[in-house]
Amino acid sequence: DGGITQSPKYLFRKEGQNVTLSCEQNLNHDAMYWYRQDPGQGLRLIYYSQIVNDFQKGDIAEGYSVSREKKESFPLTVTSAQKNPTAFYLCASSPLPRGANGELFFGEGSRLTVL
Amino acid sequence: GEDVEQSLFLSVREGDSSVINCTYTDSSSTYLYWYKQEPGAGLQLLTYIFSNMDMKQDQRLTVLLNKKDKHLSLRIADTQTGDSAIYFCAESLYSGNTPLVFGKGTRLSVIA
Protein backbone atom coordinates (compact mmCIF):
# COMPACT_ATOMS: atom_id res chain seq x y z
CA ASP A 1 0.00 0.00 0.00
CA GLY A 2 1.17 3.53 -0.73
CA GLY A 3 1.91 5.80 2.16
CA ILE A 4 4.38 7.53 4.41
CA THR A 5 6.38 5.59 6.96
CA GLN A 6 8.06 7.22 9.93
CA SER A 7 10.45 5.41 12.23
CA PRO A 8 11.00 4.92 15.02
CA LYS A 9 7.59 5.57 16.57
CA TYR A 10 9.17 6.19 19.98
CA LEU A 11 12.72 7.33 20.67
CA PHE A 12 14.57 8.23 23.84
CA ARG A 13 17.73 10.27 23.77
CA LYS A 14 20.19 11.51 26.32
CA GLU A 15 21.04 15.18 26.36
CA GLY A 16 23.90 16.02 24.02
CA GLN A 17 23.16 13.26 21.52
CA ASN A 18 22.08 13.70 17.93
CA VAL A 19 19.23 11.54 16.68
CA THR A 20 17.86 10.95 13.20
CA LEU A 21 14.18 10.37 12.45
CA SER A 22 13.37 8.51 9.28
CA CYS A 23 10.63 9.41 6.79
CA GLU A 24 10.02 7.37 3.65
CA GLN A 25 7.20 7.71 1.12
CA ASN A 26 6.24 5.55 -1.84
CA LEU A 27 3.63 7.94 -3.20
CA ASN A 28 6.04 9.43 -5.76
CA HIS A 29 5.48 12.86 -4.22
CA ASP A 30 7.86 15.68 -5.02
CA ALA A 31 7.47 17.63 -1.78
CA MET A 32 8.17 16.48 1.76
CA TYR A 33 7.79 18.34 5.05
CA TRP A 34 8.72 18.03 8.71
CA TYR A 35 6.49 19.51 11.39
CA ARG A 36 6.92 19.57 15.14
CA GLN A 37 3.90 19.26 17.44
CA ASP A 38 3.84 20.37 21.08
CA PRO A 39 0.74 20.39 23.31
CA GLY A 40 -1.22 23.59 22.76
CA GLN A 41 1.23 24.78 20.08
CA GLY A 42 -0.19 23.10 17.03
CA LEU A 43 2.09 22.16 14.14
CA ARG A 44 5.17 24.21 13.39
CA LEU A 45 7.16 23.78 10.19
CA ILE A 46 10.80 22.75 10.62
CA TYR A 47 12.01 22.13 7.05
CA TYR A 48 10.52 21.28 3.68
CA SER A 49 11.84 20.09 0.35
CA GLN A 50 10.27 20.41 -3.07
CA ILE A 51 12.95 18.66 -5.08
CA VAL A 52 15.84 16.26 -4.54
CA ASN A 53 19.01 17.89 -3.18
CA ASP A 54 17.16 21.06 -2.19
CA PHE A 55 15.33 22.09 0.97
CA GLN A 56 14.15 25.22 2.74
CA LYS A 57 14.01 26.24 6.37
CA GLY A 58 10.66 26.55 8.03
CA ASP A 59 9.74 28.60 11.08
CA ILE A 60 11.76 26.64 13.65
CA ALA A 61 14.76 25.18 11.80
CA GLU A 62 17.38 26.00 14.45
CA GLY A 63 18.91 22.87 15.95
CA TYR A 64 17.66 20.62 13.14
CA SER A 65 19.14 19.39 9.86
CA VAL A 66 17.72 17.49 6.89
CA SER A 67 18.84 15.90 3.65
CA ARG A 68 17.00 14.94 0.47
CA GLU A 69 19.28 12.60 -1.45
CA LYS A 70 16.42 10.52 -2.78
CA LYS A 71 12.90 11.53 -3.76
CA GLU A 72 11.33 9.04 -1.39
CA SER A 73 13.38 9.85 1.71
CA PHE A 74 13.62 12.96 3.91
CA PRO A 75 15.39 12.19 7.22
CA LEU A 76 15.43 14.74 10.03
CA THR A 77 18.37 15.00 12.45
CA VAL A 78 17.70 16.57 15.83
CA THR A 79 21.04 17.90 16.94
CA SER A 80 22.34 18.63 20.42
CA ALA A 81 21.91 22.31 19.59
CA GLN A 82 18.12 21.95 19.78
CA LYS A 83 17.32 23.20 23.26
CA ASN A 84 13.91 21.56 23.76
CA PRO A 85 13.78 18.53 21.49
CA THR A 86 11.13 16.55 23.35
CA ALA A 87 8.11 16.62 21.01
CA PHE A 88 6.02 14.70 18.50
CA TYR A 89 7.47 14.95 14.99
CA LEU A 90 5.31 14.59 11.91
CA CYS A 91 6.47 14.03 8.36
CA ALA A 92 4.22 14.80 5.39
CA SER A 93 4.38 14.71 1.62
CA SER A 94 2.46 16.08 -1.33
CA PRO A 95 2.63 16.15 -5.10
CA LEU A 96 3.64 19.40 -6.81
CA PRO A 97 1.56 21.17 -7.85
CA ARG A 98 -0.36 20.07 -4.79
CA GLY A 99 -3.33 18.62 -6.59
CA ALA A 100 -6.93 19.74 -6.79
CA ASN A 101 -7.34 20.19 -3.06
CA GLY A 102 -3.76 20.79 -1.95
CA GLU A 103 -3.81 17.94 0.54
CA LEU A 104 -0.79 16.95 2.60
CA PHE A 105 -0.40 13.26 3.44
CA PHE A 106 0.97 12.58 6.92
CA GLY A 107 2.92 9.77 8.52
CA GLU A 108 2.00 8.38 11.94
CA GLY A 109 4.59 10.46 13.76
CA SER A 110 7.67 9.88 15.92
CA ARG A 111 7.70 10.78 19.59
CA LEU A 112 11.12 11.89 20.83
CA THR A 113 11.82 12.12 24.54
CA VAL A 114 15.04 13.56 25.89
CA LEU A 115 16.06 12.14 29.26
CA GLY B 1 1.97 37.31 7.68
CA GLU B 2 0.03 34.14 8.10
CA ASP B 3 -1.66 33.22 11.34
CA VAL B 4 -4.42 30.75 12.08
CA GLU B 5 -6.27 30.87 15.41
CA GLN B 6 -8.51 28.28 17.03
CA SER B 7 -9.91 27.72 20.50
CA LEU B 8 -8.10 24.86 22.24
CA PHE B 9 -10.96 22.83 23.71
CA LEU B 10 -14.58 21.90 23.00
CA SER B 11 -16.79 19.47 24.86
CA VAL B 12 -20.15 18.22 23.56
CA ARG B 13 -22.65 15.49 24.38
CA GLU B 14 -23.05 12.52 22.07
CA GLY B 15 -25.74 13.21 19.48
CA ASP B 16 -25.39 16.99 19.66
CA SER B 17 -23.77 19.12 16.95
CA SER B 18 -20.20 20.35 17.36
CA VAL B 19 -19.00 23.62 15.89
CA ILE B 20 -15.27 24.27 15.71
CA ASN B 21 -14.20 27.77 14.73
CA CYS B 22 -11.07 29.15 13.11
CA THR B 23 -9.88 32.59 12.08
CA TYR B 24 -7.10 33.31 9.65
CA THR B 25 -5.31 36.51 8.75
CA ASP B 26 -4.19 36.21 5.15
CA SER B 27 -6.85 37.13 2.62
CA SER B 28 -4.72 35.52 -0.11
CA SER B 29 -5.59 32.08 1.18
CA THR B 30 -6.59 29.85 -1.68
CA TYR B 31 -7.67 26.71 0.15
CA LEU B 32 -8.71 26.17 3.74
CA TYR B 33 -8.64 22.76 5.35
CA TRP B 34 -9.84 20.78 8.30
CA TYR B 35 -7.60 17.93 9.45
CA LYS B 36 -8.36 15.37 12.18
CA GLN B 37 -5.75 13.85 14.50
CA GLU B 38 -6.55 10.83 16.65
CA PRO B 39 -4.37 10.17 19.73
CA GLY B 40 -0.77 9.30 18.90
CA ALA B 41 -1.36 9.39 15.15
CA GLY B 42 -0.76 11.59 12.16
CA LEU B 43 -3.23 13.99 10.62
CA GLN B 44 -5.88 13.01 8.12
CA LEU B 45 -7.68 15.39 5.82
CA LEU B 46 -11.34 15.67 6.75
CA THR B 47 -12.50 18.25 4.27
CA TYR B 48 -11.44 21.41 2.50
CA ILE B 49 -13.00 24.46 0.90
CA PHE B 50 -11.81 26.64 -1.94
CA SER B 51 -11.78 30.35 -1.25
CA ASN B 52 -14.49 31.15 -3.82
CA MET B 53 -17.01 28.98 -1.95
CA ASP B 54 -19.16 29.91 1.05
CA MET B 55 -20.24 26.48 2.15
CA LYS B 56 -19.43 22.86 1.60
CA GLN B 57 -21.34 19.88 2.93
CA ASP B 58 -20.07 16.32 3.13
CA GLN B 59 -22.32 13.86 5.01
CA ARG B 60 -22.19 14.93 8.69
CA LEU B 61 -19.67 17.70 8.02
CA THR B 62 -20.54 21.26 7.03
CA VAL B 63 -17.85 23.86 6.37
CA LEU B 64 -18.76 27.54 6.36
CA LEU B 65 -16.41 30.23 5.07
CA ASN B 66 -16.88 33.92 5.75
CA LYS B 67 -14.19 35.63 3.70
CA LYS B 68 -15.08 39.11 4.89
CA ASP B 69 -14.42 38.15 8.52
CA LYS B 70 -11.74 35.57 7.60
CA HIS B 71 -13.67 33.00 9.61
CA LEU B 72 -13.94 29.28 8.94
CA SER B 73 -16.09 26.81 10.85
CA LEU B 74 -16.59 23.07 10.90
CA ARG B 75 -19.92 21.69 12.03
CA ILE B 76 -20.20 17.99 12.88
CA ALA B 77 -23.79 16.82 13.06
CA ASP B 78 -24.84 14.00 15.42
CA THR B 79 -21.42 13.92 17.10
CA GLN B 80 -20.24 10.46 18.08
CA THR B 81 -17.61 9.30 20.58
CA GLY B 82 -15.44 8.34 17.61
CA ASP B 83 -15.29 12.01 16.68
CA SER B 84 -13.20 12.73 19.78
CA ALA B 85 -9.89 14.01 18.40
CA ILE B 86 -7.90 17.15 17.73
CA TYR B 87 -9.14 19.18 14.76
CA PHE B 88 -6.73 21.45 12.92
CA CYS B 89 -7.62 24.31 10.65
CA ALA B 90 -5.02 25.06 7.94
CA GLU B 91 -4.61 27.51 5.11
CA SER B 92 -2.75 27.46 1.83
CA LEU B 93 -1.76 30.47 -0.22
CA TYR B 94 -1.61 31.27 -3.94
CA SER B 95 -0.98 28.27 -6.14
CA GLY B 96 -0.92 25.86 -3.24
CA ASN B 97 2.77 25.02 -3.50
CA THR B 98 3.71 26.76 -0.28
CA PRO B 99 3.58 24.74 2.95
CA LEU B 100 0.30 24.73 4.81
CA VAL B 101 -0.02 26.91 7.89
CA PHE B 102 -1.81 25.16 10.74
CA GLY B 103 -3.72 26.44 13.74
CA LYS B 104 -2.99 25.13 17.23
CA GLY B 105 -5.79 22.59 17.04
CA THR B 106 -9.09 22.19 18.91
CA ARG B 107 -9.43 19.15 21.16
CA LEU B 108 -12.99 17.84 20.85
CA SER B 109 -14.24 15.68 23.71
CA VAL B 110 -17.52 13.84 23.21
CA ILE B 111 -19.37 12.85 26.37
CA ALA B 112 -21.52 9.73 26.16
Side-chain angles (χ1 to χ4, degrees), chain B residues 68-84:
Chain B
K68 175 175 170 291
D69 295 337
K70 299 191 183 69
H71 182 265
L72 183 73
S73 68
L74 173 69
R75 178 177 180 270
I76 306 173
D78 186 24
T79 311
Q80 303 297 308
T81 54
D83 295 323
S84 293

Side-chain angles (χ1 to χ4, degrees), chain A residues 35 37 50 98 100-101 104 107, chain B residues 31 33 35 37 92 96-98:
Chain A
Y35 287 89
Q37 184 179 13
Q50 296 186 326
R98 259 213 318 273
N101 64 5
L104 290 191
Chain B
Y31 289 102
Y33 306 88
Y35 278 82
Q37 184 184 35
S92 172
N97 287 344
T98 53

